Amino acid sequence: MACRPQLTPVLRRLARTTSELSRQAPRPQVLSLTRTAAAAGSRSLGSSQPRPFQHTPARRKDGDDFTSIKYPELKRDGRFGRLTLDHVAHFRSLLGDSNSALIDGVANAEAAADDLEPFNSDWMRKYRGHTQLVLKPASTTEVSQILKYCNDNMLAVVPQGGNTGLVGGSVPVFDEIVLSMSRMSQILEFDDVSGTLVAEAGCILEVADQYLAARGYIFPLDLGAKGSCHLGGNLSTNAGGLRLLRYGSLHGTVLGIEAVLPDGTVVDDLSRLRKNNTGYDLKQLFIGAEGTIGVITKVSIQCPQRPAAQNVAFFGLESYEHAQRAFREAKGQLSEILSAFELMDEGSQALVHRVTGSKRPLESTHPFYCLIETSGSNADHDSEKLSAFLESVMDKGIVADGTLAQDETQLRALWAWREGITEALGHLGGVFKYDVSIPLAQMYQLVEDTRARVAEAGLLGDDADGTHPVRAVVGYGHMGDSNLHLNISTRRFDPRIEKVLEPFVYEWIAQRQGSISAEHGLGLAKKKYIGYSRSEGMVGLMKQIKGLYDPRGIMNPYKYI
Amino acid sequence: MACRPQLTPVLRRLARTTSELSRQAPRPQVLSLTRTAAAAGSRSLGSSQPRPFQHTPARRKDGDDFTSIKYPELKRDGRFGRLTLDHVAHFRSLLGDSNSALIDGVANAEAAADDLEPFNSDWMRKYRGHTQLVLKPASTTEVSQILKYCNDNMLAVVPQGGNTGLVGGSVPVFDEIVLSMSRMSQILEFDDVSGTLVAEAGCILEVADQYLAARGYIFPLDLGAKGSCHLGGNLSTNAGGLRLLRYGSLHGTVLGIEAVLPDGTVVDDLSRLRKNNTGYDLKQLFIGAEGTIGVITKVSIQCPQRPAAQNVAFFGLESYEHAQRAFREAKGQLSEILSAFELMDEGSQALVHRVTGSKRPLESTHPFYCLIETSGSNADHDSEKLSAFLESVMDKGIVADGTLAQDETQLRALWAWREGITEALGHLGGVFKYDVSIPLAQMYQLVEDTRARVAEAGLLGDDADGTHPVRAVVGYGHMGDSNLHLNISTRRFDPRIEKVLEPFVYEWIAQRQGSISAEHGLGLAKKKYIGYSRSEGMVGLMKQIKGLYDPRGIMNPYKYI
């Protein structure tokens, strides 16, 4: 039997948090990754928030960063009415006169510009619309009255939750009315025997989770933007996040919704029951519909007990084949306590190391690393299982080296090597980002094939002679969910890069029946690429559903399908 | 602190299996609970198969047990065509001339009667149709050709899987063509890293589970009829079963389907990916649609690792309030290993005892009993957790007495006290059965209120003077899923009983926002009661979906909504 490597102790140095990593980082090219405080309000974007394609320049005063200018092929749909003072007066009569209910830029665009701006722009500053009116209903009835009026008057509407999306789905393109759900933020019910939570759609994810934490429960979804994102937005985008491996998708955990259709019809499907086989499960259509067929107003969801113990291990592997074997062993041995299995390649870790200067978790480098997290009800049992697992995979030669976090600080430090990748890449320059799902056996091959292609085109390498705009092609992601983040780190803008990458990446994914959007949705960004993941027939059937619920097409136009 | 009761050792006597229980049972009134071998084929109905309302007499030769005769208010829809020899010739040209592909009663009804019978009747013998033609396609293309032809010619179709349903959804009412999926039974793919299984819809659940067992995986659904039921039928009825508490609903575990619409369109949504946010999740509409908008032809599903260890505990409690507290403690302490939490009242256990004569698991009787099962990857850890849990709930006075199975035999014996209820009730006479879901806090109240109502009507009691047709009103079920089985055990037919029970039970459920069908679906049996669980608006929206996909109404008519 081969000599078994020793577990490397986690060093104190690793105790730095992600925010410390950021502070220490050299910033060769500062990109506007976070919005200004004024624009973002109380928004806090955690380091685990994935960031998509980032060649977006900092916000320009002259306004040529409007979506309508950046994407000249998009044309305003002439069937939509233009907002008038009469329309605004009607909305005031519905919602009351307070500024908390309505932001009016129709009467005086200049005066309202600053107030409207956060609703017109996404946090990446990639998309910027021209809305002149934000409506903030406080009840389902108000949502219904608004939509019915908009439908009758052909006024286009963009539903907006926390506006933390990554594909431009929650901001207007032209002058669509923004329907902000921010005032419908209450937790309505919690059954502490069954774990069923009922809340309004505008409830912030972190608020819901903290409410549940105080009662020994956990929200079955977690993601970096939890401090800002709304439950309604989570459902509308079918958010996946960090807990999917453990708690499954929202299609399984959501028990009911209340939603409003464009014609004002209230879909009263707010079941609190785990089992209810009485007819078509219509609520499922609204999960992942990105506000294109109606607006979710209330949510009922099954919440699991909060785990008492968490452990994290980090290890190095000699090949992607080894990583797959490790994943299989982890599923078998850790089974019910496995809550994350994350993959990082050496390229991604080298970049984090370069940016942070932190000592790496393992003493030697390896082509691949995995981070395993367990969550369970008994800390001793979980530690024992995780140690036994690590010993076993080392004995079998699957894992080359590994380390176990000894406390909460070390646990966070190990997570920083996974969660810090996005941050590090951002600090180094522009990034082409693809959030994709590919059958596990072939998943990493996409990174290798892309790297080879970029190298072949003469774009990848060191930049001694100034001819290599691409620094690195790296891959990492949620291995447990077959969800890869392919990232191409660039030094400067070069039109050749995009030509080499697209449609190559999408075609590669399509050939393997993968998904061009694993968890971020379609929005405006991926509308035109849906054909790479869905057949013409399926897109046709989807358009049928759109036509059924939104025959006049007022809901979130220019996006999705 | 109160004196803690001792754990009662499980006695050897308890080692009898359910089938032994059945053999010993006195049979005061033998009901036809299982179909004849000829009719049932290889069907095996496990003891955990719930059995609905059972006043159905044994099958009559003269044929007045046809659904059309028993329910004279049902009228054949005159828009549907009558089958002709030309139709049959066309189907032969599509499927080939073999009897394995087609059972033809059009040319000679008498000769085909025996072969058609199993497709015309459900296993309870409650429903019986008049089909003259069974088609058994072998491919999706054949399904598509059949449906398109039926749609063009206005021929009504009943899709049929294992025909193990409980609400008459899978057998014809009149002369609808039966589309049997039994020849599309192959397992197509299994990815032993991700756990994704792809199979044809006619694959039998147990076959799939055994295939997975050999590879260390488990199908995320289990139910008594697993030896006969098809995956396609499981999805079409959104089957819940025994593993829902642990693995969640099919809406979360199913990754993709292939289905055929009535006009022959193939819905190619057979994703193998856990994450795929590219458009409306249309497959969800087919999960629980009971074959009314199309036929599921293939299934892709996420399968978990098979647990290495299982444990079972059985305990007595002094009130339903105590049972709720025990459930909450179990969720907290057993958390990730809890795989079943079943509730039985003393009435139900007394009936099992009366029928089987077995020594009861605990030395004293209690108003309620719970059965807890754990499934995990480490037997020692699980036992330790379960013992600690039992000690803790006894210390807190939540549980009055309890016992732990020491081996597989004892484990099965304890399960028999839960699974044997249906069998025991069946042996004692007729049973009115309601499979309902009610918010947990109020769940058992339905049993108490029903019992009081039946007693008040003078129907409940011993039968010394021949005036009490109702023996007992009992309740049991999947407490972990808020799923109650309310059973009214009767000695003989008495028209007063049904009048006392209905619509009382449905109204009671409706007032508490419960579901009149937790896991069995609507079929023919509950079509007329949907209004108790769904608003008029929701039923209207469902009818819209039906109209969208099946505008000519040929799919599974007379049922569902």
Side-chain angles (χ1 to χ4, degrees):
Chain A
M1 192 166 69
C3 175
R4 186 165 67 74
Q6 294 299 305
L7 292 180
T8 310
V10 176
L11 301 179
R12 284 280 158 213
R13 277 195 70 185
L14 278 177
R16 280 177 294 202
T17 64
T18 311
S19 62
E20 286 174 315
L21 289 177
S22 316
R23 280 199 298 278
Q24 292 170 11
R27 302 185 182 225
Q29 181 178 344
V30 179
L31 292 175
S32 253
L33 295 178
T34 47
R35 305 178 59 177
T36 62
S42 64
R43 192 161 305 163
S44 83
L45 291 159
S47 62
S48 62
Q49 171 72 53
R51 293 189 175 84
F53 177 55
Q54 291 171 345
H55 268 301
T56 316
R59 178 72 177 294
R60 298 190 190 171
K61 287 287 176 202
D62 57 11
D64 63 0
D65 59 349
F66 283 114
T67 306
S68 58
I69 292 170
K70 285 166 69 181
Y71 300 88
E73 69 277 16
L74 290 171
K75 305 291 178 204
R76 185 180 182 281
D77 187 336
R79 294 175 309 136
F80 295 134
R82 301 270 183 190
L83 274 170
T84 65
L85 292 173
D86 283 350
H87 292 140
V88 178
H90 178 79
F91 289 125
R92 277 193 202 281
S93 78
L94 291 181
L95 305 181
D97 215 20
S98 145
N99 270 349
S100 68
L102 189 147
I103 303 172
D104 172 19
V106 180
N108 188 335
E110 190 112 348
D114 282 354
D115 290 340
L116 289 170
E117 192 51 42
F119 300 91
N120 263 321
S121 303
D122 70 322
W123 66 273
M124 302 175 299
R125 299 199 171 167
K126 186 168 179 197
Y127 303 99
R128 188 180 180 197
H130 301 269
T131 199
Q132 293 300 312
L133 184 65
V134 175
L135 303 178
K136 301 181 185 175
S139 69
T140 303
T141 303
E142 287 182 0
V143 173
S144 170
Q145 290 168 330
I146 290 169
L147 288 188
K148 183 172 179 359
Y149 183 84
C150 290
N151 200 47
D152 290 345
N153 292 277
M154 276 303 282
L155 300 171
V157 176
V158 176
Q160 191 175 93
N163 196 12
T164 62
L166 293 152
V167 289
S170 57
V171 289
V173 176
F174 298 100
D175 57 346
E176 302 92 278
I177 294 170
V178 170
L179 184 77
S180 167
M181 297 302 289
S182 53
R183 285 174 75 216
M184 292 183 66
S185 59
Q186 297 303 302
I187 289 169
L188 302 173
E189 287 174 33
F190 180 66
D191 179 333
D192 67 2
V193 178
S194 69
T196 304
L197 178 82
V198 182
E200 289 182 314
C203 178
I204 288 173
L205 175 57
E206 196 166 47
V207 171
D209 192 53
Q210 285 170 352
Y211 175 94
L212 290 163
R215 288 153 183 84
Y217 284 84
I218 189 169
F219 201 89
L221 170 76
D222 188 20
L223 41 84
K226 66 183 164 195
S228 311
C229 63
H230 293 185
L231 302 189
N234 296 147
L235 265 67
S236 293
T237 55
N238 188 29
L242 304 171
R243 291 179 188 160
L244 191 128
L245 178 66
R246 177 63 172 275
Y247 302 121
S249 103
L250 292 171
H251 287 289
T253 51
V254 170
L255 301 178
I257 62 159
E258 179 191 80
V260 180
L261 300 181
D263 67 1
T265 300
V266 176
V267 180
D268 56 337
D269 197 9
L270 197 63
S271 171
R272 280 82 162 161
L273 307 168
R274 277 191 82 143
K275 288 181 170 176
N276 183 13
N277 276 352
T278 54
Y280 306 115
D281 197 353
L282 299 182
K283 69 172 181 287
Q284 302 286 355
L285 289 177
F286 294 83
I287 299 175
E290 301 184 27
T292 58
I293 54 175
V295 177
I296 295 173
T297 46
K298 289 179 191 146
V299 175
S300 164
I301 189 161
Q302 176 79 31
C303 301
Q305 292 272 331
R306 206 166 190 93
Q310 280 198 318
N311 287 298
V312 165
F314 187 103
F315 48 84
L317 309 107
E318 294 315 308
S319 73
Y320 181 63
E321 170 62 28
H322 284 85
Q324 286 185 76
R325 288 174 60 197
F327 176 52
R328 213 190 146 170
E329 292 282 333
K331 289 212 304 175
Q333 293 189 45
L334 302 173
S335 187
E336 70 275 6
I337 60 167
L338 185 63
S339 56
F341 194 106
E342 300 286 314
L343 175 79
M344 298 83 77
D345 65 8
E346 166 59 21
S348 69
Q349 296 301 279
L351 292 178
V352 175
H353 178 63
R354 173 175 164 172
V355 170
T356 65
S358 302
K359 183 168 161 55
R360 297 176 67 156
L362 304 178
E363 282 171 1
S364 52
T365 62
H366 306 271
F368 291 91
Y369 306 90
C370 289
L371 182 149
I372 282 185
E373 184 193 75
T374 65
S375 305
S377 57
N378 184 309
D380 293 339
H381 290 171
D382 294 1
S383 297
E384 205 180 301
K385 285 192 182 88
L386 191 52
S387 300
F389 161 75
L390 265 183
E391 274 192 47
S392 129
V393 288
M394 284 178 157
D395 277 348
K396 290 178 183 166
I398 297 171
V399 158
D401 194 8
T403 182
L404 261 174
Q406 303 299 319
D407 57 32
E408 174 71 18
T409 309
Q410 291 184 355
L411 184 150
R412 275 188 283 116
L414 287 179
W415 261 115
W417 284 91
R418 162 66 184 86
E419 296 193 308
I421 300 172
T422 305
E423 196 90 30
L425 281 164
H427 290 163
L428 288 171
V431 190
F432 284 85
K433 295 179 89 75
Y434 299 92
D435 161 50
V436 305
S437 184
I438 301 162
L440 207 60
Q442 305 166 292
M443 193 173 87
Y444 194 76
Q445 191 64 42
L446 173 61
V447 183
E448 286 172 355
D449 289 1
T450 305
R451 188 183 294 130
R453 187 176 161 87
V454 174
E456 208 169 286
L459 301 173
L460 176 66
D462 66 39
D463 209 31
D465 58 356
T467 62
H468 294 133
V470 176
R471 178 182 296 106
V473 175
V474 304
Y476 59 97
H478 313 294
M479 189 154 182
D481 309 330
S482 245
N483 185 179
L484 176 77
H485 298 303
L486 165 68
N487 281 236
I488 295 90
S489 169
T490 66
R491 296 186 174 93
R492 57 185 171 270
F493 177 72
D494 186 322
R496 291 176 300 167
I497 306 173
E498 186 162 357
K499 284 202 185 114
V500 165
L501 292 173
E502 294 181 18
F504 168 76
V505 169
Y506 294 121
E507 285 171 353
W508 197 101
I509 294 163
Q511 281 157 16
R512 282 140 188 102
Q513 286 84 51
S515 172
I516 59 150
S517 188
E519 56 182 3
H520 298 168
L522 295 167
L524 188 65
K526 296 195 177 172
K527 176 187 168 79
K528 61 183 168 184
Y529 302 120
I530 188 172
Y532 288 104
S533 279
R534 298 290 197 169
S535 67
E536 209 175 308
M538 283 303 293
V539 173
L541 291 171
M542 290 178 192
K543 286 187 171 164
Q544 236 182 10
I545 291 289
K546 170 76 175 175
L548 181 71
Y549 290 114
D550 184 24
R552 309 195 80 185
I554 65 160
M555 298 303 299
N556 220 356
Y558 317 111
K559 300 166 190 166
Y560 204 61
I561 53 166
Chain B
M1 193 167 68
C3 176
R4 185 164 67 75
Q6 295 299 303
L7 292 180
T8 310
V10 175
L11 300 179
R12 284 278 159 214
R13 277 197 71 184
L14 276 178
R16 281 178 293 204
T17 64
T18 312
S19 63
E20 287 174 316
L21 288 177
S22 316
R23 279 199 298 279
Q24 291 170 12
R27 297 183 185 228
Q29 182 178 343
V30 179
L31 290 177
S32 256
L33 294 178
T34 47
R35 305 179 61 179
T36 62
S42 64
R43 193 161 304 161
S44 83
L45 291 158
S47 63
S48 62
Q49 171 72 54
R51 296 192 172 80
F53 177 56
Q54 291 172 345
H55 268 301
T56 315
R59 178 70 178 295
R60 297 191 191 172
K61 288 287 176 200
D62 58 9
D64 64 358
D65 59 349
F66 283 114
T67 307
S68 57
I69 292 171
K70 287 165 68 182
Y71 299 89
E73 68 278 15
L74 290 171
K75 305 291 180 205
R76 185 180 182 282
D77 188 334
R79 294 176 309 137
F80 294 135
R82 301 270 183 190
L83 273 171
T84 65
L85 292 173
D86 283 351
H87 292 140
V88 178
H90 178 78
F91 290 125
R92 277 194 202 280
S93 77
L94 291 180
L95 305 181
D97 214 21
S98 145
N99 270 348
S100 67
L102 186 147
I103 302 173
D104 171 18
V106 180
N108 188 336
E110 191 113 347
D114 282 354
D115 290 341
L116 290 170
E117 192 50 44
F119 300 90
N120 264 320
S121 302
D122 71 321
W123 67 273
M124 302 174 297
R125 300 199 170 168
K126 187 169 179 197
Y127 303 99
R128 188 180 179 198
H130 301 270
T131 200
Q132 293 301 313
L133 185 65
V134 176
L135 303 178
K136 300 181 186 175
S139 69
T140 303
T141 304
E142 288 181 359
V143 174
S144 170
Q145 290 168 330
I146 291 168
L147 289 187
K148 182 170 178 5
Y149 183 83
C150 291
N151 200 47
D152 289 347
N153 292 278
M154 276 304 279
L155 299 171
V157 177
V158 176
Q160 190 177 93
N163 196 12
T164 60
L166 292 152
V167 289
S170 57
V171 288
V173 177
F174 297 100
D175 56 346
E176 302 91 281
I177 294 170
V178 171
L179 185 78
S180 166
M181 297 302 289
S182 53
R183 284 175 76 216
M184 292 184 64
S185 60
Q186 298 303 303
I187 289 169
L188 302 173
E189 287 174 31
F190 180 65
D191 179 333
D192 67 0
V193 178
S194 69
T196 304
L197 178 82
V198 181
E200 289 183 313
C203 178
I204 288 173
L205 175 57
E206 197 166 47
V207 172
D209 192 52
Q210 285 170 351
Y211 175 95
L212 291 164
R215 288 152 183 84
Y217 283 83
I218 190 169
F219 201 90
L221 170 75
D222 188 18
L223 41 83
K226 66 183 164 196
S228 311
C229 63
H230 293 186
L231 302 189
N234 296 147
L235 265 69
S236 293
T237 55
N238 188 28
L242 304 170
R243 292 180 186 159
L244 192 130
L245 178 65
R246 177 64 173 276
Y247 301 121
S249 104
L250 291 171
H251 287 289
T253 52
V254 170
L255 301 178
I257 62 158
E258 178 191 81
V260 180
L261 300 182
D263 67 1
T265 300
V266 176
V267 181
D268 56 337
D269 197 9
L270 197 62
S271 170
R272 280 83 164 160
L273 307 168
R274 279 192 82 144
K275 288 180 169 176
N276 183 13
N277 277 352
T278 53
Y280 305 117
D281 197 353
L282 299 183
K283 70 171 181 287
Q284 302 286 355
L285 289 177
F286 294 82
I287 299 175
E290 300 184 27
T292 58
I293 52 174
V295 177
I296 295 175
T297 46
K298 290 181 190 144
V299 175
S300 163
I301 190 162
Q302 176 80 32
C303 301
Q305 292 272 333
R306 206 166 190 93
Q310 279 198 319
N311 288 298
V312 165
F314 186 102
F315 48 84
L317 310 107
E318 294 314 308
S319 73
Y320 181 64
E321 170 62 28
H322 284 85
Q324 287 185 77
R325 287 175 61 197
F327 177 53
R328 209 187 150 173
E329 292 283 333
K331 291 212 303 175
Q333 293 189 44
L334 301 173
S335 188
E336 69 275 7
I337 61 166
L338 184 63
S339 57
F341 195 108
E342 300 288 313
L343 175 79
M344 299 81 77
D345 64 8
E346 166 57 22
S348 68
Q349 295 301 279
L351 292 178
V352 175
H353 178 63
R354 173 174 164 173
V355 170
T356 64
S358 301
K359 183 167 161 60
R360 297 177 67 157
L362 304 178
E363 283 171 0
S364 52
T365 62
H366 306 272
F368 292 91
Y369 305 90
C370 289
L371 183 149
I372 283 186
E373 184 193 74
T374 64
S375 305
S377 56
N378 185 309
D380 293 341
H381 291 171
D382 294 1
S383 298
E384 202 181 302
K385 285 191 181 91
L386 191 52
S387 301
F389 161 75
L390 264 182
E391 274 193 46
S392 130
V393 287
M394 283 178 155
D395 277 349
K396 290 177 184 167
I398 297 170
V399 158
D401 194 6
T403 182
L404 261 175
Q406 302 300 317
D407 56 33
E408 175 70 18
T409 309
Q410 291 184 356
L411 183 150
R412 275 188 284 116
L414 287 179
W415 260 115
W417 285 92
R418 163 64 185 85
E419 294 192 309
I421 300 172
T422 306
E423 196 90 29
L425 282 164
H427 289 164
L428 289 171
V431 190
F432 285 84
K433 295 180 89 76
Y434 299 92
D435 161 50
V436 306
S437 185
I438 301 161
L440 207 60
Q442 305 165 291
M443 193 174 86
Y444 194 77
Q445 191 64 43
L446 173 61
V447 183
E448 287 172 353
D449 289 2
T450 304
R451 188 183 295 131
R453 186 175 161 88
V454 174
E456 209 169 285
L459 301 172
L460 176 66
D462 66 39
D463 208 30
D465 58 356
T467 62
H468 294 131
V470 176
R471 179 182 294 105
V473 175
V474 304
Y476 59 97
H478 314 294
M479 189 153 181
D481 309 329
S482 244
N483 184 178
L484 176 77
H485 298 303
L486 165 67
N487 280 237
I488 295 89
S489 169
T490 66
R491 296 187 175 92
R492 57 184 170 271
F493 178 73
D494 187 320
R496 291 176 300 168
I497 305 173
E498 187 163 355
K499 284 203 185 113
V500 165
L501 293 173
E502 295 181 19
F504 167 77
V505 169
Y506 293 122
E507 285 171 353
W508 197 100
I509 294 163
Q511 281 158 15
R512 283 139 187 104
Q513 286 83 50
S515 171
I516 59 149
S517 188
E519 55 182 3
H520 298 169
L522 295 166
L524 188 65
K526 296 195 178 171
K527 176 188 167 80
K528 60 184 170 185
Y529 302 119
I530 189 172
Y532 288 105
S533 278
R534 297 290 197 167
S535 67
E536 208 176 310
M538 282 305 290
V539 174
L541 290 171
M542 290 178 192
K543 287 187 170 163
Q544 234 181 11
I545 291 290
K546 170 75 175 174
L548 181 71
Y549 289 114
D550 183 24
R552 309 195 80 186
I554 65 159
M555 299 303 300
N556 220 355
Y558 318 111
K559 301 168 190 163
Y560 204 64
I561 52 165

